[in-house]
Amino acid sequence: MKKQTYKNIIIGFGKAGRVLAAKLSQEGEESVIIERDRAMDGGTCPNVGCVPSKTLIAAGNRNLPFAEAMKLKYATREKMHNGATNGALSQPLVSYLNGLAKFISPDEVEVSAAAPDGTVTRLTGERIFINTGATPVIPGISGIHDSKNVITSESAMELDELPENLVIIGAGYIGLEFAGMFNHFGSKVTVLEPFDKFLPREDKDVADEVFKDLTESGISFHLNTPIDKISDNEVMAGGKVYTADKILVATGRKPNIDELNLSAAGIELQPNGYIKVDDTLKTTNDKVWALGDVRGGGQFYYLSTDDFRIVVSQLFGGFGDGGRKLTSPERQNVPYSVFITPTLSRVGLDERMAQGLGKKYRLFKLPAAKIVKANVLQDPRGLLKALVDPETDEILGATLYHEDSHEIINLVSLAMQARVKYMRLRDQIFTHPTMGEGLNDLFANSVMC
């Protein structure tokens, strides 16, 4: 058995870990990145997440044939994979181990090298960072492990042929993105959702608009339909049989921690199964941090980037020009987007949340068809909503369901973060015709005080 000591050990080659390794090298500190799967060098996003999936979604929106879209996806993924990988490993003080890591004590990690090597290396670290990400959940449905045609959101992007009939289990955000994508490529898509509400985390009027548009595009939804059994080409659900060439299971993700032996390091978990961390992302072991999806909360590439900022600010006395130490509770007004067509984006409170909190608000609302650019793009579908504090005139939140909302939501998020009053966006001079100028009309259209 080999034994080595590093000041910094990074388990998992995700976004936060790889940029941290590069930064540590620039600060004169050595680190080692441990990754069990070379195909995942660089993390989830460039390999099996946002880069390949959004490349395919964009290709489908442009009506590219499936085979051509897949070639484009592979080329884009290779470019992003190589850039992400080399960005870290090109640094002079960054080492790499390909193998499976597990804790054997609070500051020791044992790494079993990938086959056929099999060498076991014991590493001791002054600091250890867990950056192993998340993986698709496979629910305990009868026959799911025996079916030859069950796929996940990751393996769905590796198909050689477009499925003629695709059944998707789960109408969450991931399921909807893949439903829209395969529908654009020409698959007959059926979505089975065990629960009776569609998009329960969104306002009902917004959810209703999304449901109507996706249904009219050709996607078939069956809510309140629990799954009984799966075979190779059939899904038995709600007393009916649904035929499928492929069955995509989109029922959530879970942390990649099963083989880490966290108990040996004294690392506790949250009730939801993710690693418990404090405001600086430190675990219950003072020598270990958890970064990225594995620490729970929003599973977004940009939050992994912010995790990096938080850790660096704590280790090196501040981050950026201000030199301020950052913490996770400061992370406010984080937007998200669901890449259906048109895109659904939100930041802050919606009506459902505000009412649950007993928060008073002014409501602003606008059909996307009122925006000139939406008509220029020949897609006037959608709805814009915003909530404003009636006492301060500051924006409490916004839901944007329209073309390019994934870009416009960042303007609203920035305004909220800067505590800009809503009138500033109402009166802002935007170029024309753009979707951004829809904010002029939205914030001029108060429908409730």
Side-chain angles (χ1 to χ4, degrees):
M1 177 185 294
K2 296 181 180 178
K3 293 186 178 181
Q4 296 177 344
T5 299
Y6 286 91
K7 185 167 185 176
N8 301 284
I9 297 173
I10 300 170
I11 306 173
F13 205 159
K15 166 64 175 180
R18 61 180 167 85
V19 292
L20 177 60
K23 174 63 175 176
L24 290 168
S25 178
Q26 293 163 11
E27 295 289 338
E29 294 190 12
E30 63 176 355
S31 63
V32 58
I33 299 174
I34 305 165
E35 174 56 56
R36 66 180 181 179
D37 183 359
R38 290 307 309 257
M40 288 299 292
D41 286 356
T44 296
C45 180
N47 296 303
V48 296
C50 47
V51 166
S53 67
K54 275 52 177 182
T55 300
L56 288 174
I57 289 169
N61 288 341
R62 299 201 308 273
N63 296 315
L64 291 183
F66 183 69
E68 186 176 339
M70 289 299 288
K71 290 180 181 178
L72 180 63
K73 182 220 58 168
Y74 283 119
T76 305
R77 182 172 69 180
E78 181 179 8
K79 179 181 178 181
M80 296 297 103
H81 168 92
N82 292 340
T85 302
N86 296 334
L89 298 187
S90 63
Q91 298 297 317
L93 298 179
V94 178
S95 301
Y96 179 90
L97 275 178
N98 179 208
L100 182 64
K102 69 175 182 180
F103 284 91
I104 57 174
S105 78
D107 63 352
E108 291 179 295
V109 174
E110 194 172 270
V111 181
S112 300
D117 186 328
T119 302
V120 176
T121 305
R122 181 167 294 182
L123 305 178
T124 302
E126 181 179 324
R127 309 187 195 108
I128 302 176
F129 304 92
I130 303 172
N131 187 218
T132 49
T135 191
V137 170
I138 306 298
I141 300 171
S142 176
I144 196 168
H145 295 289
D146 299 321
S147 174
K148 298 176 182 177
N149 289 308
V150 167
I151 56 177
T152 68
S153 58
E154 296 179 0
S155 57
M157 294 182 287
E158 306 301 319
L159 296 177
D160 295 326
E161 296 181 357
L162 179 69
E164 183 176 344
N165 291 288
L166 175 68
V167 170
I168 298 178
I169 298 175
Y173 299 136
I174 294 176
L176 294 186
E177 287 192 352
F178 278 86
M181 179 187 81
F182 279 102
N183 179 61
H184 275 123
F185 284 126
S187 297
K188 179 182 177 182
V189 179
T190 301
V191 180
L192 306 178
E193 171 54 57
F195 296 103
D196 61 353
K197 289 185 178 180
F198 181 77
L199 290 181
R201 286 189 253 176
E202 305 295 337
D203 283 341
K204 188 177 184 304
D205 54 352
V206 174
D208 287 346
E209 284 289 315
V210 174
F211 186 85
K212 174 179 69 69
D213 291 340
L214 290 177
T215 299
E216 289 179 353
S217 74
I219 300 170
S220 177
F221 289 93
H222 300 269
L223 305 180
N224 198 23
T225 305
I227 314 302
D228 302 313
K229 186 178 180 180
I230 292 175
S231 66
D232 280 348
N233 295 101
E234 293 181 335
V235 178
M236 282 64 74
K240 295 182 179 181
V241 177
Y242 300 88
T243 303
D245 301 304
K246 294 293 179 182
I247 303 162
L248 171 57
V249 178
T251 51
R253 294 174 68 83
K254 64 178 183 178
N256 252 329
I257 58 174
D258 291 347
E259 297 170 296
L260 286 176
N261 194 29
L262 296 176
S263 60
I267 297 172
E268 298 176 10
L269 302 181
Q270 304 174 49
N272 63 5
Y274 287 83
I275 295 176
K276 185 177 182 180
V277 295
D278 65 12
D279 292 349
T280 66
L281 306 180
K282 197 173 280 188
T283 71
T284 49
N285 177 340
D286 197 51
K287 295 183 177 181
V288 181
W289 289 254
L291 307 134
D293 296 350
V294 75
R295 51 95 182 101
Q299 295 184 5
F300 302 121
Y301 176 89
Y302 43 93
L303 287 186
S304 294
T305 300
D306 199 57
D307 286 353
F308 154 75
R309 297 186 189 113
I310 290 171
V311 170
V312 166
S313 76
Q314 297 293 328
L315 295 182
F316 299 109
F319 186 86
D321 295 337
R324 187 167 56 88
K325 289 191 175 183
L326 308 177
T327 61
S328 57
E330 297 177 67
R331 193 151 59 194
Q332 301 293 321
N333 306 317
V334 177
Y336 67 84
S337 293
V338 186
F339 287 84
I340 51 177
T341 305
T343 318
L344 171 64
S345 303
R346 181 152 70 84
V347 63
L349 300 181
D350 60 8
E351 285 197 271
R352 176 188 57 88
M353 295 173 67
Q355 291 167 5
L357 295 170
K359 182 75 173 176
K360 293 182 179 180
Y361 60 90
R362 289 181 64 188
L363 175 64
F364 294 77
K365 196 170 179 178
L366 183 77
K370 295 287 187 180
I371 305 173
V372 173
K373 182 60 180 290
N375 292 278
V376 170
L377 294 173
Q378 301 299 303
D379 191 355
R381 296 175 297 173
L383 180 67
L384 295 78
K385 297 180 68 176
L387 277 60
V388 168
D389 189 312
E391 296 181 359
T392 66
D393 287 331
E394 293 178 6
I395 303 167
L396 298 173
T399 302
L400 308 180
Y401 172 51
H402 60 71
E403 284 280 0
D404 294 335
S405 73
H406 52 285
E407 300 286 358
I408 308 307
I409 199 67
N410 293 308
L411 290 174
V412 182
S413 176
L414 180 61
M416 292 173 65
Q417 198 68 16
R419 305 190 68 172
V420 171
K421 297 182 186 296
Y422 82 92
M423 297 86 80
R424 192 69 190 87
L425 290 179
R426 182 196 64 192
D427 303 331
Q428 176 67 23
I429 299 174
F430 292 97
T431 54
H432 175 82
T434 60
M435 295 305 297
E437 65 182 339
L439 296 176
N440 290 151
D441 296 328
L442 171 62
F443 286 107
N445 197 38
S446 176
V447 298
M448 187 187 79
C449 296

